[in-house]
Amino acid sequence: MTFRKSILLLISLTMIAGLVACGSSSRPATTITATAGTPQSATVGTAYASTLSATVMQGSNPVSGATVTFSAPTSLASGTFASNGTSTETDTTNSSGVATSSIFTANTISGSADVGASVSGATSSASFILTNLAGAPFGIAATSGTPQSAVISTAFASPLVATVTDSYGNPESGVVVTFTAPALTGASGTFASNGTITETDTTGSDGTATSSTFTADAIAGGPYNVTAAALT
């Protein structure tokens, strides 16, 4: 009896060891990637042309039925999904492992509006590169260099700065601004770039156009206005 018990005990231990060895094999990692809808851009307040698609894989196999969460920024440049009017949406992968969002619409703030996509089990998220573009130029304002004065025939201390924005107040880049001083028959001045009363400058990424140095002519007087007009 003692010998038989020893054999049974040995067999039991061997079977357990075998089960542990089989259970130690690892699964392929779960990954998620952005496979459609990136990069793209849309004018503020309008819909992006393409929906966002993310693909979930486990090794070389697509994962169906997985819940993917699309998340846009909660502040600044962002947007909302048509399904619920918020910046977050969940969608389920199909048999090819692809989850597709509803239409995404840019909010009224220009700038980077990148959207992430995540799924349970993946160590990193997918990223969709989206950009909200400013709308058409709408307004122009003098934002620096006014008011000021200078002795005749000397330069004014500060350049003239005008800012161009769209209807939502977003800065407009690449807009040509024309600065124009009064005729030289009275109090006026000239721009250093060309020695005349008119100069054109282009707005930068912050929507501002900055003149060259403006020098008073030899006629005292004022105040007078130098206008800034945006070419649209």
Side-chain angles (χ1 to χ4, degrees), residues 140 176-180 198-201 227-231:
I140 184 169
V176 176
V177 173
T178 301
F179 294 96
T180 305
T198 302
E199 175 181 279
T200 58
D201 297 281
T227 64
L231 300 178

mmCIF file of all heavy atoms in Angstrom, residues 140 176-180 198-201 227-231:
data_model
loop_
_atom_site.group_PDB
_atom_site.id
_atom_site.type_symbol
_atom_site.label_atom_id
_atom_site.label_comp_id
_atom_site.label_asym_id
_atom_site.label_seq_id
_atom_site.Cartn_x
_atom_site.Cartn_y
_atom_site.Cartn_z
ATOM 1 N N ILE A 140 -10.038 93.720 -38.154
ATOM 2 C CA ILE A 140 -8.658 94.186 -37.999
ATOM 3 C C ILE A 140 -8.654 95.284 -36.945
ATOM 4 O O ILE A 140 -9.574 96.121 -36.905
ATOM 5 C CB ILE A 140 -8.062 94.685 -39.337
ATOM 6 C CG1 ILE A 140 -6.587 95.071 -39.165
ATOM 7 C CG2 ILE A 140 -8.879 95.824 -39.926
ATOM 8 C CD1 ILE A 140 -5.873 95.322 -40.483
ATOM 9 N N VAL A 176 -2.307 89.904 -45.939
ATOM 10 C CA VAL A 176 -1.562 91.110 -46.303
ATOM 11 C C VAL A 176 -2.272 92.339 -45.741
ATOM 12 O O VAL A 176 -3.467 92.551 -45.994
ATOM 13 C CB VAL A 176 -1.412 91.237 -47.827
ATOM 14 C CG1 VAL A 176 -0.730 92.553 -48.192
ATOM 15 C CG2 VAL A 176 -0.619 90.056 -48.380
ATOM 16 N N VAL A 177 -1.539 93.136 -44.968
ATOM 17 C CA VAL A 177 -2.071 94.356 -44.360
ATOM 18 C C VAL A 177 -1.360 95.564 -44.965
ATOM 19 O O VAL A 177 -0.132 95.577 -45.066
ATOM 20 C CB VAL A 177 -1.872 94.352 -42.829
ATOM 21 C CG1 VAL A 177 -2.271 95.695 -42.220
ATOM 22 C CG2 VAL A 177 -2.691 93.221 -42.201
ATOM 23 N N THR A 178 -2.136 96.556 -45.358
ATOM 24 C CA THR A 178 -1.574 97.779 -45.929
ATOM 25 C C THR A 178 -1.700 98.929 -44.937
ATOM 26 O O THR A 178 -2.800 99.272 -44.516
ATOM 27 C CB THR A 178 -2.290 98.164 -47.238
ATOM 28 O OG1 THR A 178 -2.152 97.094 -48.179
ATOM 29 C CG2 THR A 178 -1.679 99.429 -47.835
ATOM 30 N N PHE A 179 -0.555 99.487 -44.539
ATOM 31 C CA PHE A 179 -0.525 100.667 -43.681
ATOM 32 C C PHE A 179 -0.426 101.894 -44.580
ATOM 33 O O PHE A 179 0.409 101.943 -45.493
ATOM 34 C CB PHE A 179 0.695 100.632 -42.748
ATOM 35 C CG PHE A 179 0.663 99.524 -41.720
ATOM 36 C CD1 PHE A 179 1.328 98.321 -41.947
ATOM 37 C CD2 PHE A 179 -0.020 99.696 -40.525
ATOM 38 C CE1 PHE A 179 1.307 97.317 -40.991
ATOM 39 C CE2 PHE A 179 -0.049 98.693 -39.565
ATOM 40 C CZ PHE A 179 0.619 97.493 -39.805
ATOM 41 N N THR A 180 -1.274 102.882 -44.324
ATOM 42 C CA THR A 180 -1.283 104.100 -45.150
ATOM 43 C C THR A 180 -1.345 105.346 -44.270
ATOM 44 O O THR A 180 -2.274 105.510 -43.475
ATOM 45 C CB THR A 180 -2.483 104.108 -46.114
ATOM 46 O OG1 THR A 180 -2.471 102.908 -46.905
ATOM 47 C CG2 THR A 180 -2.432 105.314 -47.033
ATOM 48 N N THR A 198 3.097 104.524 -47.665
ATOM 49 C CA THR A 198 2.344 103.256 -47.707
ATOM 50 C C THR A 198 3.292 102.064 -47.629
ATOM 51 O O THR A 198 4.366 102.059 -48.243
ATOM 52 C CB THR A 198 1.517 103.155 -49.003
ATOM 53 O OG1 THR A 198 0.628 104.257 -49.076
ATOM 54 C CG2 THR A 198 0.705 101.872 -49.038
ATOM 55 N N GLU A 199 2.875 101.072 -46.879
ATOM 56 C CA GLU A 199 3.689 99.858 -46.734
ATOM 57 C C GLU A 199 2.769 98.659 -46.555
ATOM 58 O O GLU A 199 1.709 98.763 -45.938
ATOM 59 C CB GLU A 199 4.602 99.991 -45.510
ATOM 60 C CG GLU A 199 5.402 98.734 -45.186
ATOM 61 C CD GLU A 199 6.266 98.914 -43.956
ATOM 62 O OE1 GLU A 199 7.353 99.497 -44.082
ATOM 63 O OE2 GLU A 199 5.839 98.464 -42.859
ATOM 64 N N THR A 200 3.160 97.512 -47.106
ATOM 65 C CA THR A 200 2.393 96.280 -46.902
ATOM 66 C C THR A 200 3.204 95.302 -46.062
ATOM 67 O O THR A 200 4.422 95.175 -46.245
ATOM 68 C CB THR A 200 2.012 95.608 -48.232
ATOM 69 O OG1 THR A 200 3.191 95.325 -48.981
ATOM 70 C CG2 THR A 200 1.098 96.504 -49.041
ATOM 71 N N ASP A 201 2.527 94.641 -45.157
ATOM 72 C CA ASP A 201 3.154 93.630 -44.297
ATOM 73 C C ASP A 201 2.192 92.452 -44.165
ATOM 74 O O ASP A 201 0.983 92.608 -44.358
ATOM 75 C CB ASP A 201 3.469 94.223 -42.925
ATOM 76 C CG ASP A 201 4.477 95.364 -43.009
ATOM 77 O OD1 ASP A 201 5.681 95.074 -43.124
ATOM 78 O OD2 ASP A 201 4.045 96.533 -42.983
ATOM 79 N N THR A 227 -3.844 104.415 -41.321
ATOM 80 C CA THR A 227 -4.823 103.314 -41.410
ATOM 81 C C THR A 227 -4.138 101.986 -41.711
ATOM 82 O O THR A 227 -3.032 101.933 -42.259
ATOM 83 C CB THR A 227 -5.868 103.613 -42.486
ATOM 84 O OG1 THR A 227 -5.218 103.675 -43.765
ATOM 85 C CG2 THR A 227 -6.596 104.905 -42.212
ATOM 86 N N ALA A 228 -4.804 100.922 -41.316
ATOM 87 C CA ALA A 228 -4.347 99.572 -41.637
ATOM 88 C C ALA A 228 -5.530 98.806 -42.226
ATOM 89 O O ALA A 228 -6.595 98.722 -41.600
ATOM 90 C CB ALA A 228 -3.826 98.869 -40.397
ATOM 91 N N ALA A 229 -5.351 98.289 -43.423
ATOM 92 C CA ALA A 229 -6.429 97.567 -44.107
ATOM 93 C C ALA A 229 -5.963 96.173 -44.491
ATOM 94 O O ALA A 229 -4.835 95.996 -44.973
ATOM 95 C CB ALA A 229 -6.888 98.336 -45.331
ATOM 96 N N ALA A 230 -6.822 95.185 -44.275
ATOM 97 C CA ALA A 230 -6.485 93.809 -44.622
ATOM 98 C C ALA A 230 -7.043 93.447 -45.984
ATOM 99 O O ALA A 230 -8.210 93.733 -46.291
ATOM 100 C CB ALA A 230 -7.036 92.858 -43.576
ATOM 101 N N LEU A 231 -6.199 92.836 -46.805
ATOM 102 C CA LEU A 231 -6.639 92.383 -48.129
ATOM 103 C C LEU A 231 -7.192 90.978 -47.987
ATOM 104 O O LEU A 231 -6.484 90.061 -47.559
ATOM 105 C CB LEU A 231 -5.470 92.405 -49.116
ATOM 106 C CG LEU A 231 -4.810 93.776 -49.334
ATOM 107 C CD1 LEU A 231 -3.640 93.644 -50.301
ATOM 108 C CD2 LEU A 231 -5.824 94.778 -49.877
#
